[in-house]
Amino acid sequence: MAVEPTRRDMLEGAAAVAVAALAGPGAGPSQAWAAASADGPRLWYRQPAVAWTEALPVGNGRLGAMVFGGTASERLQLNEDTLWTGGPYDPVNPAAHAALPEVRRLIDAGKFAEAQAIANAQVMGLPKTQMAYQPVGDLMLEMPGVAGAVGDYVRQLDLDAAVATTSFTMGGTRFRRDVFASPGDQVIAVHLVGDRPFDLLVGLESPQLGASVSVDGATVTLAGHNGERAGIAGRLRFAGARAGFDCGWCRLEGGQPASRRGGTHGHGAGGDGDELSSVR
């Protein structure tokens, strides 16, 4: 009877592309990666996600990713739990102290609607909204030169193993991507394998203000700062959202940093394609 790999098996047996603010190196690829989970509970689809709500989620409580399941081009939308709009602020309404006695008097007089109106205008904290959770950016994986009809496409989320998998054939090559989030290593890892050599572009981009991308060898680093909301100025900066990849048969070309997007390019040198990417 076939035994399905656990998430620990995958962490220990994979050579990984780690994305960690969003990266940790892994060991050599395991045959366990070739076996798709068919028996456990899973969500599965026959086409890539088009909208964000169709993507498959992975996360570890701090880092999260929405996996779109593209073919020659893949997108992982990334989150980190401390990145919100705005910054520290005092929500106390300066008019509250003076207005409170009048609110109490109106309540005692049974004039509840009037008391409510004054409380809403002068007692409630400001701004009358919360700061909004923000995306850090996107991990982009592109395979230039891979073209042709797509066949045998399946994307799925294994609800037991917490692994999102995309598999398909294209241009005569069979590809498989597995994405999972490690709570111990604090990394989101992407394991990409093909049965023929292939090129891979790894990049990061972000909608955040002042976002910049730099490349150092096999590591792409994203930095930037958040925006304002409801009059509260953005005061959070992030740096060190890193995407790196590791494989035993690649040579790398550093991509040119851009204002909001940058990446690095790996070339397969022969044998089965095997990439491990990670984000911290």
Side-chain angles (χ1 to χ4, degrees):
M1 180 179 65
V3 178
E4 297 297 339
T6 66
R7 182 165 49 184
R8 180 179 298 275
D9 293 334
M10 289 183 165
L11 283 166
E12 293 176 347
V17 176
V19 178
L22 295 167
S30 167
Q31 292 299 319
W33 288 91
S37 174
D39 299 327
R42 62 187 180 121
L43 306 174
W44 63 275
Y45 306 89
R46 292 294 189 184
Q47 65 283 323
V50 176
W52 184 88
T53 50
E54 298 173 355
L56 296 173
V58 297
N60 63 12
R62 184 179 75 87
L63 302 174
M66 295 293 283
V67 184
F68 280 70
T71 52
S73 179
E74 171 65 301
R75 173 192 176 197
L76 275 69
Q77 184 265 317
L78 305 171
N79 292 89
E80 197 275 338
D81 69 351
T82 63
L83 186 61
W84 297 67
T85 53
Y89 66 96
D90 183 358
V92 174
N93 192 321
H97 185 267
L100 187 56
E102 178 64 7
V103 172
R104 289 171 173 167
R105 186 190 68 79
L106 291 170
I107 292 173
D108 289 342
K111 299 179 179 180
F112 302 116
E114 295 177 39
Q116 182 68 58
I118 294 176
N120 286 346
Q122 302 181 43
V123 177
M124 289 188 66
L126 299 174
K128 295 178 182 177
T129 186
Q130 295 182 345
M131 298 298 100
Y133 192 41
Q134 293 292 286
V136 172
D138 295 327
L139 171 69
M140 306 299 297
L141 303 175
E142 299 180 7
M143 297 187 294
V146 176
V150 176
D152 300 326
Y153 180 94
V154 177
R155 68 181 175 100
Q156 68 173 22
L157 177 63
D158 186 318
L159 300 179
D160 281 340
V163 177
T165 298
T166 305
S167 60
F168 57 94
T169 59
M170 192 174 187
T173 302
R174 177 175 295 277
F175 296 98
R176 177 185 170 109
R177 280 191 303 268
D178 293 281
V179 183
F180 60 90
S182 166
D185 295 312
Q186 286 298 307
V187 61
I188 295 173
V190 183
H191 183 256
L192 170 58
V193 63
D195 59 10
R196 296 182 184 179
F198 58 92
D199 286 355
L200 178 67
L201 288 167
V202 179
L204 289 168
E205 58 186 36
S206 175
Q208 298 301 325
L209 299 173
S212 63
V213 178
S214 60
V215 179
D216 181 11
T219 301
V220 186
T221 301
L222 173 67
H225 64 86
N226 68 334
E228 68 85 31
R229 178 175 170 84
I232 305 299
R235 297 174 61 187
L236 303 179
R237 296 186 177 274
F238 63 91
R242 300 185 304 275
F245 68 100
D246 178 30
C247 64
W249 51 271
C250 295
R251 64 184 178 89
L252 306 175
E253 294 179 358
Q256 293 299 314
S259 60
R260 294 197 180 192
R261 181 173 184 176
T264 190
H265 189 181
H267 293 284
D272 288 345
D274 191 1
E275 298 278 355
L276 181 58
S277 257
S278 64
V279 178
R280 290 183 186 275

